[in-house]
Amino acid sequence: NEKNLIDKLKNIYLFFLILFSGYSLNFFRTKVGMIALFLLGLILFFNIRLKKSILIPIGLWSFYFILNSINIQSFHPYFFIQNVMLIIISYWIIHHFKLDLFIKYERIVFRLCLIALFFYSIQSIDIDFFENLMRSVDLSNNLFADKKIIYESIGIYTLHINPENDLLNRICGFTWEPGPFSVFTNIALMLHILFYRNKINKLSKLKLVTYILCVLLAQSSTGIILLFII
């Protein structure tokens, strides 16, 4: 069925979009990566017409961009276009998935957290072995080669160690460092509590433990503060 195939591709796109937001790979930070993400969305969501309401966020962004350009006395057209593309991508995603977007986000992040805990357990058992393993399959293209840190990533998991500041192993998950991963995880935790607070079962308990464990292992002050707020 063609419709089912397109729906599956849109779900895969959402998964890739969340990985892209983790910024763990150099490709995710390049102009080519951003344009590829936009063009892929344009193909998948070709049937969604942009309404006049999208002019509001684009207009606000344009106003801020002009003021900021005047303030810093510098003009960066790609930076403007990049954020316009992100606004349009957000429009497609929200328009297509609607409230299901929050449920799908929570499920995707839960799976990524499980993957992260699996790799983190290996990392904790034998850091030297894991570092060599990650280096052999690294896709980050020396993202932080200019800094004195150990950094390898395969997109779904990142090894990020700062020998000068990190006393203990920290979990980064699919993001470039522990802090952002803890934020993504806290958002998933909040959504899980909102949607499933009246459906307590084994899976629900597993998710709660997984999210909380990931936040604690990230050892991020921002993440722990958000956890206490939630």
Side-chain angles (χ1 to χ4, degrees):
N1 187 297
E2 185 177 346
K3 185 179 182 303
N4 290 337
L5 176 60
I6 293 176
D7 286 340
K8 288 180 180 178
L9 289 175
K10 289 176 179 177
N11 287 331
I12 294 173
Y13 182 84
L14 177 60
F15 174 79
F16 184 76
L17 181 62
I18 292 173
L19 284 186
F20 194 97
S21 302
Y23 270 20
S24 61
L25 303 182
N26 186 58
F27 177 74
F28 295 160
R29 297 165 178 256
T30 63
K31 294 179 182 179
V32 173
M34 184 68 244
I35 294 172
L37 183 71
F38 180 77
L39 292 178
L40 184 57
L42 187 63
I43 294 170
L44 290 174
F45 300 99
F46 69 93
N47 60 324
I48 297 179
R49 294 184 178 181
L50 301 179
K51 296 182 180 179
K52 291 182 179 179
S53 58
I54 199 173
L55 293 177
I56 297 175
I58 291 178
L60 291 172
W61 162 242
S62 300
F63 179 70
Y64 169 80
F65 177 79
I66 292 171
L67 290 181
N68 189 59
S69 297
I70 295 173
N71 182 52
I72 65 175
Q73 298 181 347
S74 181
F75 182 70
H76 302 278
Y78 173 73
F79 182 56
F80 173 78
I81 295 171
Q82 178 188 32
N83 282 277
V84 170
M85 288 191 289
L86 289 172
I87 291 171
I88 295 174
I89 290 172
S90 300
Y91 182 90
W92 290 333
I93 293 295
I94 294 171
H95 190 278
H96 175 73
F97 291 105
K98 297 181 174 61
L99 287 178
D100 281 348
L101 171 62
F102 300 107
I103 296 174
K104 290 182 180 294
Y105 172 90
E106 188 268 337
R107 290 175 178 173
I108 290 172
V109 173
F110 172 63
R111 288 173 173 81
L112 289 171
C113 283
L114 290 179
I115 292 172
L117 288 174
F118 170 75
F119 282 113
Y120 180 79
S121 62
I122 302 175
Q123 175 183 328
S124 300
I125 293 171
D126 192 335
I127 184 63
D128 293 329
F129 165 77
F130 189 70
E131 183 184 343
N132 291 329
L133 176 64
M134 288 292 289
R135 187 180 296 114
S136 67
V137 293
D138 179 44
L139 301 175
S140 69
N141 195 25
N142 294 320
L143 184 58
F144 295 110
D146 58 326
K147 298 182 179 180
K148 296 180 180 180
I149 62 173
I150 298 170
Y151 188 93
E152 280 90 29
S153 179
I154 54 174
I156 57 174
Y157 189 77
T158 299
L159 176 65
H160 181 136
I161 299 176
N162 187 337
E164 296 180 358
N165 298 326
D166 295 345
L167 298 178
L168 300 172
N169 281 334
R170 302 173 70 190
I171 191 170
C172 293
F174 63 97
T175 67
W176 78 94
E177 63 179 21
F181 179 61
S182 68
V183 173
F184 276 99
T185 305
N186 270 309
I187 293 173
L189 172 61
M190 180 183 67
L191 292 174
H192 178 73
I193 292 172
L194 288 174
F195 284 105
Y196 300 99
R197 60 182 179 273
N198 296 323
K199 299 179 182 178
I200 300 176
N201 51 37
K202 289 183 179 180
L203 179 59
S204 177
K205 292 177 181 178
L206 174 62
K207 286 186 174 184
L208 288 174
V209 171
T210 299
Y211 293 141
I212 293 172
L213 187 58
C214 282
V215 172
L216 294 177
L217 290 175
Q219 302 169 55
S220 164
S221 56
T222 302
I224 292 175
I225 291 171
L226 288 175
L227 179 62
F228 276 106
I229 293 173
I230 293 172

